[in-house]
Amino acid sequence: MKWESVSDFFAMGGYGLYVWGSYLVAILCVIGEVVWIRIRRRTLYKHLGLRKGSILRGEK
């Protein structure tokens, strides 16, 4: 596709709201998943009484 201006690019032929909105939702889901995994890992370490990285070093 060829766009005449930057605003035409962001408008995406009238579908810009759906295109950019879906990118935004996807990025928010990925960020949320990363945060959720970190929280769960931290909770697991606290529950097991481990320090961060201790599993990799073979410590208890």
Side-chain angles (χ1 to χ4, degrees), residues 34-55:
V34 169
V35 169
W36 188 39
I37 288 171
R38 286 184 179 187
I39 290 170
R40 288 182 56 136
R41 182 176 53 183
R42 189 177 310 137
T43 303
L44 177 64
Y45 281 164
K46 283 182 183 178
H47 179 72
L48 295 176
L50 300 173
R51 287 181 286 151
K52 185 178 179 182
S54 61
I55 293 174

